[in-house]
Amino acid sequence: EPEVTQTPSHQVTQMGQEVILRCVPISNHLYFYWYRQILGQKVEFLVSFYNNEISEKSEIFDDQFSVERPDGSNFTLKIRSTKLEDSAMYFCASSAGVQNNQPQHFGDGTRLSIL
Amino acid sequence: AQSVSQHNHHVILSEAASLELGCNYSYGGTVNLFWYVQYPGQHLQLLLKYFSGDPLVKGIKGFEAEFIKSKFSFNLRKPSVQWSDTAEYFCAVILRGAGNKLTFGGGTRVLVKP
């Protein structure tokens, strides 16, 4: 079964540094998402992306965050000037569409630790 | 505010016991409902989904869920669990017509003792 892959599995970064989390969505999928889960809290939606632009974003997704699809396979989340509270598990997901029979498929996640 | 609630944070049971995990949502509109499972060290996997039609939905690995619109609930059930069902289970909702973002419940950790 095709999978969403995320790299790295664990990223440790000094506060204030920039970090890029990488995702390779399932190849025929058109919709891409980032979610995060702070330890002990719910999985939260960050952003959705379609046709090379953001289609929806949450209040969490402020100017510190950006997403990009730099080529035909990768989907990245960039966090500028990281803060301690950015420490979380970040999940990438993709779906073939937004209709009823096209659910989101998730990657294994990247654990981001800000020191 | 719109939200998804899962009643139990932790559930411990023995093999062959029956499992029921509660999920309630607080959306006023039409919703799509999901249960995802995360086995230790693995990614979130879709167990089952409800969009319309028969409110009793059957998923993979012997799981089923029932949508009760009047109660805003979508409880997950399995008649007889196995040790391999040890995992964290997440209920999630998409509000139709309001994008495609999943709103998750807090998750329930299930430990099945052999």
Side-chain angles (χ1 to χ4, degrees), chain A residues 17-65:
Chain A
Q17 297 297 305
E18 175 182 285
V19 65
I20 297 175
L21 309 182
R22 303 183 190 278
C23 170
V24 178
I26 294 173
S27 62
N28 64 341
H29 283 186
L30 301 175
Y31 294 79
F32 314 115
Y33 313 84
W34 283 101
Y35 293 81
R36 79 172 185 190
Q37 186 179 27
I38 295 171
L39 188 63
Q41 298 186 24
K42 293 184 178 184
V43 176
E44 304 171 288
F45 169 80
L46 291 178
V47 66
S48 59
F49 190 87
Y50 169 71
N51 199 25
N52 281 320
E53 60 182 29
I54 291 172
S55 47
E56 189 176 3
K57 61 182 181 178
S58 71
E59 293 175 351
I60 303 167
F61 195 88
D62 59 20
D63 292 344
Q64 183 193 8
F65 295 87

Side-chain angles (χ1 to χ4, degrees), chain B residues 93-114:
Chain B
V93 173
I94 289 176
L95 181 61
R96 282 199 225 165
N100 202 39
K101 67 178 183 185
L102 284 162
T103 299
F104 284 86
T108 300
R109 286 188 187 274
V110 173
L111 173 63
V112 180
K113 297 188 291 185

